[in-house]
Amino acid sequence: MRAGAGALALLVMVAGCSTSGGRDEDRGSGTAISISPLDGAADLPPELPILIGAAGGKLTHVAVQAAGRPVAGVFSPDRTQWRSERPMAPGTAYSVEATAAGPGGSATRTVRFATKQAAKTFGISTLLPNKQDTGLTVGVGMPIIITFDKPVTDRVSVERNLIVQASKPIDGAWHWLDDKNVVFRPEKYWPTYTKVRVTARLAGIRGGEGMYGKQDYVRDFEVGRSQISVANTQTHYMKIERDGKQIKNMPISAGMGDVLRHHTTSGIHVAMSREDVTVMTSPDASPGQAGYYETTVYNSVRISNTGEYVHGAPWSVGDQGNSNVSHGCVNVSPENAKWFKNNTLIGDPIIVTGTPRRLEATNGWSYWQDSWPAWLKRSRLRAAPAEALL
């Protein structure tokens, strides 16, 4: 999906207009060709498109090259206009040759121009999902997360070139957390077994004053089966449903709640990592201070940025199913912890209910906490159906 983008709009160009690059006319044929940018222009802003128009005839041939490489473009249905599919690249020399034919004959025009160098460039430092951190088969709650290596101020230009394609119909939108981080999620969970392609067409795209994208990026991944876990801190059980059918009901022990920070956060968490061994330390006490702890746990699934996991806790097995005694994690038995870690996909929703401490939408990947209208408030182009991935 190119959020908020519609079909490619071809601009109407009037031959002879001073901004259209002038026109060449075969006086015998009455056919004119207009080209923008102007012949001989230099230091052009790269974000401009290349536009070609014909009056008194139709375009029969267009050849555009950027530093010797072909440039793709689109004809209008009547072949009187042509527009480059993408903006120009910085620091690049272009040549255009166009021919148009009319009732009285044909005309050909050739122009050359060049864009200015980029003062600086930007790219993507992290694109999730990826093979190393999440695997390329993910849960139905997995967001697409992009982190740029430099702050982006022209969010509209960049967001317009972040394209999500899906093999099943979805409505979705990008959401800017800040100038370096933008996240995509559908309105509802991904449909199961959906193939997804993310394309960031950033090469030459303006990201800010004098700053342009270095290259394009493509990432393919697949959404697997649906597995949704609901941990009820009042009943002390976690029900696990796979593709709509309950497959487990595990006894748990959640945060003891003696202080607010020891409540497990209630809300829609998303599995962020699966860890064989995790060393947990108290976030609010140093060694030697009251309340300090350092504990090694096994078979854990991380669900937030504030130290919450579903993990094995042999010391609380007697409390699991009847009492909350943890510092905020969801405790399960060692056997259940191993099963849960091995059967969880990164991106699986893990919902916690029954506590007064609300999960923040920016705590980990808990973006489903936002309502759809709230999510759209930080999108520059709002929602649109995903483009079909064939």
Side-chain angles (χ1 to χ4, degrees):
M1 144 205 179
R2 187 180 301 121
L8 177 64
L10 289 168
L11 301 183
V12 175
M13 299 177 294
V14 180
C17 207
S18 61
T19 59
S20 69
R23 75 183 195 179
D24 274 7
E25 182 174 349
D26 186 309
R27 296 186 182 278
S29 69
T31 302
I33 298 173
S34 58
I35 299 176
S36 176
L38 292 166
D39 187 27
D43 292 328
L44 291 165
E47 57 265 29
L48 295 175
I50 299 170
L51 306 172
I52 305 171
K58 296 182 178 182
L59 293 166
T60 58
H61 169 75
V62 171
V64 181
Q65 292 192 328
R69 298 184 300 275
V71 173
V74 179
F75 286 98
S76 64
D78 62 1
R79 292 187 72 90
T80 61
Q81 301 170 25
W82 182 97
R83 176 177 178 155
S84 57
E85 288 185 350
R86 302 182 61 171
M88 295 184 288
T92 303
Y94 285 81
S95 65
V96 178
E97 182 181 275
T99 300
S106 63
T108 297
R109 187 172 186 202
T110 300
V111 303
R112 291 178 174 81
F113 44 81
T115 55
K116 64 182 177 182
Q117 294 283 349
K120 54 185 176 179
T121 59
F122 75 101
I124 291 176
S125 59
T126 305
L127 171 54
L128 297 175
N130 64 22
K131 185 176 181 179
Q132 178 181 355
D133 298 311
T134 63
L136 294 177
T137 299
V138 298
V140 297
M142 182 69 206
I144 300 170
I145 305 171
I146 291 178
T147 301
F148 298 105
D149 59 7
K150 293 185 179 68
V152 168
T153 56
D154 192 344
R155 296 183 182 182
V156 171
S157 178
V158 170
E159 188 175 326
R160 186 178 290 122
N161 287 279
L162 301 178
I163 302 161
V164 177
Q165 296 170 281
S167 62
K168 296 183 180 181
I170 64 145
D171 288 332
W174 293 94
H175 175 106
W176 291 84
L177 303 178
D178 53 42
D179 285 346
K180 294 183 72 173
N181 295 278
V182 63
V183 177
F184 177 93
R185 54 158 271 210
E187 182 177 1
K188 301 176 181 178
Y189 293 144
W190 294 96
T192 57
Y193 308 108
T194 299
K195 296 183 184 298
V196 183
R197 173 170 294 165
V198 187
T199 305
R201 300 201 317 175
L202 298 183
I205 297 301
R206 185 180 186 274
E209 185 64 34
M211 183 176 75
Y212 297 89
K214 291 182 286 191
Q215 66 183 75
D216 293 345
Y217 302 80
V218 178
R219 178 65 42 78
D220 290 310
F221 66 93
E222 185 172 1
V223 178
R225 83 291 176 271
S226 170
Q227 182 169 294
I228 299 174
S229 304
V230 179
N232 188 321
T233 63
Q234 299 298 309
T235 66
H236 313 292
Y237 275 83
M238 180 167 67
K239 294 182 180 180
I240 301 168
E241 290 189 352
R242 183 174 295 170
D243 293 329
K245 296 181 180 179
Q246 184 174 314
I247 59 172
K248 289 278 187 181
N249 192 22
M250 297 179 180
I252 66 165
S253 179
M256 66 181 76
D258 55 334
V259 292
L260 185 62
R261 66 178 180 272
H262 289 164
H263 279 290
T264 310
T265 54
S266 281
I268 305 172
H269 302 72
V270 171
M272 302 173 66
S273 67
R274 296 171 298 191
E275 302 170 18
D276 294 332
V277 181
T278 304
V279 178
M280 296 187 169
T281 57
S282 50
D284 50 5
S286 300
Q289 294 181 331
Y292 174 78
Y293 62 86
E294 179 178 290
T295 304
T296 299
V297 300
Y298 301 92
N299 295 314
S300 58
V301 174
R302 180 183 172 198
I303 61 173
S304 78
N305 277 342
T306 51
E308 292 172 300
Y309 289 78
V310 178
H311 67 79
W315 57 86
S316 69
V317 167
D319 299 297
Q320 294 165 23
N322 59 78
S323 304
N324 292 326
V325 298
S326 83
H327 287 94
C329 289
V330 177
N331 289 180
V332 295
S333 70
E335 180 182 4
N336 282 335
K338 185 175 182 180
W339 183 95
F340 192 70
K341 186 204 71 177
N342 291 341
N343 286 274
T344 292
L345 292 174
I346 303 304
D348 280 348
I350 300 166
I351 303 167
V352 177
T353 66
T355 81
R357 185 182 174 196
R358 180 173 170 79
L359 175 66
E360 296 177 342
T362 53
N363 186 351
W365 299 345
S366 307
Y367 307 119
W368 300 97
Q369 284 293 97
D370 274 341
S371 68
W372 190 236
W375 183 258
L376 295 179
K377 288 180 180 179
R378 294 186 65 83
S379 173
R380 287 296 178 266
L381 300 176
R382 302 300 187 258
E387 296 184 5
L389 178 62
L390 303 178

